[in-house]
């Protein structure tokens, strides 16, 4: 998707940072609770609209964009403060104790990683210039069943598995086949955290292409 933004060279927060003095674990928790809390209509991008994940985005230091898994959304026109960072989810997954009955933190982490299998390629551009790119493969060893992870390129992208956090899954979530309730959850995936952009109009573009291991190519934008 492309996001037109009314908002220094483009900067990104690194994995060693605490964007706006908030941990990556806390950002993952906030993202999933906001995103899963949306119903189908709220999570469906509309032409000329602005689908930001966080509802009260004007008071937040970081605005959160929709998942790349949203299929071919129209260009979104958003007004974002030049004091706000921008969280871009590239390819992310989670597992919760509601669906994974009796799973502990280690098992939830392993489950979350197994949601993100395949060769994962993504790019983030601001005003037509690439600021981050991702090319990794996460797969299962067919002999041992163990997870394997290969990095081909990982530039200005933060990959992390979160600590367990409390996730509220409402009955009307847009995510199908969920167990309603409040559950311990773990997130794993790849994100880009953009520093605030200068005042003016900017275009943030991000995409994803995932080739499942042993399966056909499954592109998404």
């Amino acid at each position: 998707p492309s996001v037109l933004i009314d908002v220094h060279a483009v900067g990104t927060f690194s994995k060693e940072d605490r964007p706006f003095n908030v941990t990556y674990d806390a950002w993952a928790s906030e993202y999933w609770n906001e995103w899963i809390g949306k119903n189908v209509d709220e999570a469906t991008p509309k032409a000329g609209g602005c689908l930001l994940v966080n509802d009260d985005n004007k008071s937040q230091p970081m605005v959160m964009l929709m998942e790349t898994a949203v299929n071919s959304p129209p260009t979104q026109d958003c007004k974002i403060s030049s004091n706000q960072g921008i969280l871009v989810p590239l390819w992310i997954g989670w597992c919760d104790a509601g669906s994974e009955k009796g799973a502990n933190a280690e098992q939830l982490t392993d489950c979350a990683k197994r949601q993100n299998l395949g060769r994962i390629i993504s790019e983030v551009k601001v005003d037509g210039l690439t600021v981050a790119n991702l090319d990794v493969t996460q797969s299962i060893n067919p002999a041992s069943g163990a997870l394997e992870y290969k990095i081909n390129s990982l530039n200005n992208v933060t990959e992390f598995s979160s600590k367990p956090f409390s996730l509220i899954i409402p009955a009307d979530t847009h995510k199908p086949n969920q167990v309603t309730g409040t559950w311990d959850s773990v997130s794993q995936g790849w994100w880009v955290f953009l520093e605030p952009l200068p005042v003016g109009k900017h275009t943030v573009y991000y995409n994803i292409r995932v080739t499942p291991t042993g399966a056909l190519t499954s592109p998404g934008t």
Side-chain angles (χ1 to χ4, degrees), residues 14-100:
S14 74
K15 193 169 185 177
E16 290 69 40
D17 293 325
R18 287 169 57 101
F20 300 99
N21 203 32
V22 177
T23 66
Y24 286 109
D25 294 310
W27 284 124
S29 172
E30 183 173 344
Y31 185 91
W32 284 115
N33 274 286
E34 293 272 10
W35 186 226
I36 291 175
K38 294 188 180 299
N39 61 35
V40 172
D41 181 66
E42 292 169 333
T44 302
K46 300 169 179 64
C50 175
L51 183 55
L52 297 179
V53 171
N54 37 343
D55 294 325
D56 186 21
N57 64 81
K58 291 183 180 180
S59 66
Q60 301 297 319
M62 183 87 71
V63 296
M64 306 177 179
L65 303 184
M66 71 185 82
E67 283 186 275
T68 47
V70 175
N71 190 32
S72 299
T75 296
Q76 302 288 285
D77 193 354
C78 302
K79 287 182 172 61
I80 297 173
S81 168
S82 58
N83 295 319
Q84 292 175 301
I86 303 171
L87 188 159
V88 186
L90 299 185
W91 194 246
I92 56 176
W94 93 94
C95 271
D96 61 78
S99 297
E100 302 297 317

Side-chain angles (χ1 to χ4, degrees), residues 10-13 62 85-88 124 126 131 192-196 204:
V10 178
T12 58
F13 293 99
M62 183 87 71
I86 303 171
L87 188 159
V88 186
V124 177
V126 177
V131 298
V192 172
F193 290 76
L194 295 176
E195 295 178 354
V204 176

